[in-house]
Amino acid sequence: MTIPEPAGPEMAGPEMAAPEMAGPGMAGVHAAWLPPEAFRAVGSRRTLVLGEGRLAGTVHEEVARACARHGGSVRRAGDGPYDLVLALTVAEPLPEAAAGARPGAPIGDEGYVIARTDGVTVVLADEPAGLLYGLFHVVRLGERAFAAERPAEHHRPATRLRMLDHWDNVDVHPVMGQVERGYAGGSIFWRDGAPRGDLARVRAYARLLAACGVNAISVNNVNVHATEARLLTDRLGDVAAIAGVLRPYGIRVHLSVSFASPVTVGGLPSADPLGEDVRGWWAEVTRRVYDAIPDFGGYVVKADSEGQPGPFAYGRDHADGANLLAGALAPYGGVVHWRAFVYDHRQDWRDRSTDRARAACDHFAPLDGRFHDNVILQVKHGPIDFQAREPVSPVIAAMPATRVAVELQVTQEYTGQQRHVCYLAPMWREALGFRPRGAGGPAVADVAGGGGGLVGVSNVGDDPYWTGHPLAQANLYAFGRLAWEPRLDPAAILDEWIDLTFAPVADGDIERARGTLHAIMDDSWRVYERYTAPLGVGFMVRPGHHYGPDVDGYEYTPWGTYHFADRDGVGVDRTRATGTGFTGQYPPPWSQVYESLADCPDELLLFFHHVPYGHVLRSGATVIQHIYDTHFAGAEQVAEARRRWQEAAGLFDPALHARVSDLLDEQVRCAEEWRDQVNAYFFRKSGVPDARGRRIP
Ligand code: GCW
């Protein structure tokens, strides 16, 4: 945790305009990707829902509400004909069309089969959760679900755990506020030390998440402060209330806990993971948690990291620590998400031998095989910390005997803080598709799908648009969709999001709205990378709050995040030959690819190598010229995005349009600031002029 500077005028947000569209019962809150209009195709038809249980009840409710609005009807069994049948496979008797679609093999806990024969669209599921996901699939398809015959398609999630971590505090933290790294207002769960009590908002959130496939939420910050530590004990009722609201949407609650709880909350003299009394304490509090929340998901732990307590204090390792909690959770089927974000945040910047990128692998790889089955090692996708460009963390390939979850940052801490448009799905897609052992080996998504899952740090707050920047909603939606199906194309996900969210836009205009949004969003991550971080250099941000440029801001600090620019060159030598040896943490072929100056991909060059400014990239440009070119180009592309948005004023709800316009003004300003500071910095260091003679201040 770094200390943010107080917000200056540059940090002030744009005026909040009230959004126009509201979800069911949620006046004043934007409906995001579930406006009532998105249910037109379902709601205007004759639908049969067959199934028992809470989630089937939710499906029923959703269909009934849609029908009430759009003129369709909810039919009873035997009361055909139907246009749509949503049924559990166990339901008896299944209407003929549904019986025909029943597959020979199990559909699975959360899966569903969708088919259309003889004019009836059928969704079949073994379990109610599958029925709910199937309904939202039909909603996504809209009229296409009813247009033509379709052969049975079987959908099931690639990974069982699709989780959002909220870095929400219960108390307002004096430095970090209500939500650490939150850019969308306060927490939707907590305010000023207490639950907000606005459970309708939480319910609307659960509905949005179910519609994109998320099935777990951790409701408090991984930095667990005093009040939050007590969510586990005397404040458990607050958590149970949230769990009760999430449950009808198939979402389980998890809790971040402090490793020191036996001492700070329980009054024991020690939190030693091998202590009998400590083990007993965790067993007892966990029993009470399950008494209150029978479907509780488990614990999330940040230990021995950035000042959080952990097993090192007792001379124990992280397998000892994680297994302690896993033991307490095992009788109930709970899991512990143990974070691998462990590094020395008090490094001496003069020390060139310590490399923060190495830390997670150095700590955890030797422990592979020692974790209990219900421990999930939660690994950030990159080795450092959610920068705009990082290689994939070597830990993901280094733990074949451990369940690994991959953590993504939906909240845009280092990618524009929800003031900049930065559609992150292309970055995540790239990371999830990366094959750490080369072409024949598993992809990162396969590793996560092997039992750990995908975790995203939520970007949601109590802002009327949920995410501050209305277009940042697409990141939350895309996170869920990629967690469900990591092979989805980011542009196709964007289409889904656009069609749902902007369903109320008049028919002919949706095409134009799509054109505008794709032009602005498709490449926005790479645009962001261009005007900020060249070639895999990270952390050239303002220390503390991490917004805006400060090239040397972290250069002489204890955080282990350096670029080593001098008059001759820039970059971190992480090679085995002459550097920190980090490249050796990768299996082949990447250990060789990254080690080699000739083979290392341009976009990661300065992550792995220190090179002279005149070094010629694979693209043919020199490093210094690349820096100038990309920074000029990136800032121009943001200006172009703003132009496109202004042109589209008539297409969008005026309040939403105004909000995005204000934010684009800020993005243009900030991108120019980045361009000028980065270009000026490297021009002054290197003395090499821009080959195209553009003005560098
Ligand atoms: O990126 C850093 C953030 C911290 C955060 C930490 C983590 C919750 O700056 O605010 O703490 O990562 O992931 O634990």
Side-chain angles (χ1 to χ4, degrees):
M1 181 172 75
T2 52
I3 310 300
E5 290 166 17
E10 162 193 310
M11 295 291 289
E15 283 298 306
M16 298 269 173
E20 201 177 68
M21 287 176 283
M26 290 301 301
V29 177
H30 189 246
W33 50 89
L34 293 181
E37 253 337 278
F39 288 78
R40 177 176 287 284
V42 169
S44 56
R45 293 201 151 73
R46 298 162 297 185
T47 300
L48 171 68
V49 180
L50 276 181
E52 300 294 317
R54 190 182 283 114
L55 269 70
T58 306
V59 173
H60 204 277
E61 245 175 60
E62 289 286 342
V63 171
R65 184 166 42 218
C67 287
R69 184 169 187 108
H70 296 292
S73 54
V74 191
R75 295 296 168 103
R76 274 198 282 272
D79 185 18
Y82 318 110
D83 307 305
L84 173 62
V85 174
L86 297 144
L88 289 183
T89 45
V90 292
E92 289 291 349
L94 278 180
E96 211 177 299
R102 192 175 7 209
I107 301 175
D109 283 358
E110 296 179 303
Y112 56 90
V113 167
I114 178 167
R116 182 169 172 85
T117 38
D118 301 331
V120 186
T121 299
V122 173
V123 173
L124 278 178
D126 289 341
E127 299 292 335
L131 215 52
L132 185 63
Y133 293 126
L135 167 67
F136 285 123
H137 187 98
V138 177
V139 171
R140 273 196 298 275
L141 289 172
E143 283 302 327
R144 283 168 299 158
F146 305 96
E149 303 286 281
R150 61 173 57 230
E153 267 173 39
H154 189 170
H155 293 260
R156 61 166 84 82
T159 172
R160 277 186 83 85
L161 272 159
R162 306 176 300 280
M163 177 169 177
L164 283 169
D165 280 7
H166 278 253
W167 287 353
D168 297 14
N169 300 312
V170 176
D171 283 330
V172 178
H173 186 269
V175 179
M176 287 299 174
Q178 192 83 63
V179 180
E180 181 155 346
R181 309 308 180 185
Y183 310 105
S187 163
I188 60 167
F189 301 120
W190 318 103
R191 180 159 53 203
D192 297 335
R196 279 179 67 106
D198 184 2
L199 291 176
R201 184 84 194 249
V202 175
R203 186 180 163 87
Y205 183 47
R207 190 169 170 258
L208 287 170
L209 295 186
C212 66
V214 169
N215 67 357
I217 297 182
S218 170
V219 294
N220 65 307
N221 190 358
V222 291
N223 291 321
V224 182
H225 310 291
T227 300
E228 292 77 6
R230 290 171 39 229
L231 291 174
L232 183 62
T233 53
D234 52 313
R235 300 200 56 165
L236 188 56
D238 299 344
V239 183
I242 296 172
V245 175
L246 300 180
R247 193 169 290 126
Y249 286 94
I251 297 171
R252 288 183 176 203
V253 153
H254 297 238
L255 209 51
S256 293
V257 298
S258 163
F259 195 76
S261 304
V263 177
T264 56
V265 182
L268 298 185
S270 148
D272 182 348
L274 302 191
E276 268 315 307
D277 50 345
V278 172
R279 191 183 306 274
W281 188 84
W282 280 108
E284 176 56 17
V285 297
T286 304
R287 185 186 62 73
R288 290 199 201 140
V289 169
Y290 279 90
D291 277 350
I293 311 170
D295 57 352
F296 180 70
Y299 299 139
V300 179
V301 190
K302 171 174 177 178
D304 291 317
S305 169
E306 300 185 333
Q308 291 297 301
F312 287 162
Y314 306 98
R316 315 296 183 195
D317 64 30
H318 279 232
D320 298 326
N323 290 342
L324 165 73
L325 299 184
L329 289 159
Y332 314 97
V335 292
V336 51
H337 283 87
W338 191 268
R339 294 177 88 230
F341 184 61
V342 178
Y343 70 99
D344 178 6
H345 71 287
R346 297 208 180 90
Q347 194 185 318
D348 180 352
W349 60 267
R350 299 164 192 83
D351 160 21
R352 297 289 290 255
S353 66
T354 305
D355 179 4
R356 174 167 165 182
R358 292 189 57 122
C361 219
D362 284 342
H363 283 299
F364 287 95
L367 303 179
D368 189 35
R370 282 195 42 218
F371 292 101
H372 289 179
D373 287 349
N374 60 332
V375 173
I376 293 173
L377 189 68
Q378 184 166 316
V379 183
K380 291 189 182 190
H381 66 91
I384 304 269
D385 197 0
F386 299 134
Q387 301 304 289
R389 176 71 72 171
E390 288 187 44
V392 157
S393 167
V395 178
I396 294 168
M399 313 284 300
T402 305
R403 289 169 73 179
V404 169
V406 175
E407 185 180 304
L408 307 174
Q409 199 181 38
V410 189
T411 194
Q412 290 172 237
E413 177 176 2
Y414 297 101
T415 50
Q417 304 202 346
Q418 278 135 259
R419 297 165 187 212
H420 296 212
V421 182
C422 188
Y423 178 48
L424 292 165
M427 170 165 94
W428 299 334
R429 179 68 189 74
E430 220 173 89
L432 293 167
F434 179 80
R435 294 181 186 275
R437 297 185 181 278
V444 167
D446 302 321
V447 177
L454 209 63
V455 179
V457 182
S458 172
N459 64 349
V460 158
D462 67 357
D463 167 70
Y465 288 100
W466 298 94
T467 53
H469 201 308
L471 304 188
Q473 289 177 3
N475 285 330
L476 186 63
Y477 181 81
F479 168 78
R481 296 291 289 134
L482 283 172
W484 180 283
E485 174 44 284
R487 284 166 191 81
L488 288 176
D489 169 19
I493 298 175
L494 200 59
D495 272 334
E496 285 180 8
W497 174 76
I498 294 168
D499 288 357
L500 291 168
T501 305
F502 301 103
V505 169
D507 278 355
D509 285 347
I510 191 78
E511 275 300 321
R512 288 176 55 217
R514 260 192 229 122
T516 301
L517 290 165
H518 278 288
I520 292 172
M521 296 174 75
D522 277 346
D523 204 30
S524 53
W525 160 55
R526 290 198 173 79
V527 169
Y528 185 83
E529 180 187 26
R530 272 175 215 133
Y531 63 75
T532 58
L535 304 165
V537 169
F539 272 97
M540 299 195 313
V541 289
R542 300 276 296 278
H545 58 61
H546 298 165
Y547 186 76
D550 186 345
V551 181
D552 276 342
Y554 273 101
E555 199 57 16
Y556 307 102
T557 70
W559 294 96
T561 49
Y562 316 120
H563 54 65
F564 299 119
D566 58 23
R567 63 175 189 175
D568 299 317
V570 57
V572 189
D573 185 352
R574 294 195 159 104
T575 63
R576 305 192 281 293
T578 51
T580 68
F582 171 67
T583 59
Q585 290 187 338
Y586 289 89
W590 301 107
S591 51
Q592 278 92 33
V593 171
Y594 294 147
E595 177 79 7
S596 152
L597 197 50
D599 296 337
C600 183
D602 282 351
E603 67 273 12
L604 290 171
L605 186 76
L606 303 182
F607 194 96
F608 287 105
H609 297 271
H610 185 91
V611 299
Y613 292 113
H615 175 84
V616 178
L617 296 167
R618 291 153 68 95
S619 70
T622 60
V623 165
I624 190 73
Q625 194 57 41
H626 173 96
I627 292 174
Y628 298 150
D629 288 348
T630 49
H631 283 77
F632 281 115
E636 270 166 33
Q637 284 161 326
V638 177
E640 173 60 14
R642 178 171 63 176
R643 200 189 57 69
R644 286 295 301 250
W645 184 254
Q646 282 164 349
E647 244 174 45
L651 292 179
F652 298 94
D653 163 66
L656 182 145
H657 191 271
R659 167 83 73 106
V660 174
S661 290
D662 288 348
L663 289 163
L664 279 165
D665 288 346
E666 164 58 13
Q667 188 174 357
V668 168
R669 182 205 66 75
C670 191
E672 287 172 357
E673 193 62 29
W674 269 100
R675 175 196 66 198
D676 291 342
Q677 286 203 27
V678 172
N679 283 347
Y681 178 95
F682 284 103
F683 174 58
R684 290 175 194 183
K685 281 267 172 191
S686 71
V688 180
D690 172 31
R692 293 173 56 194
R694 287 161 294 192
R695 184 178 164 272
I696 294 177

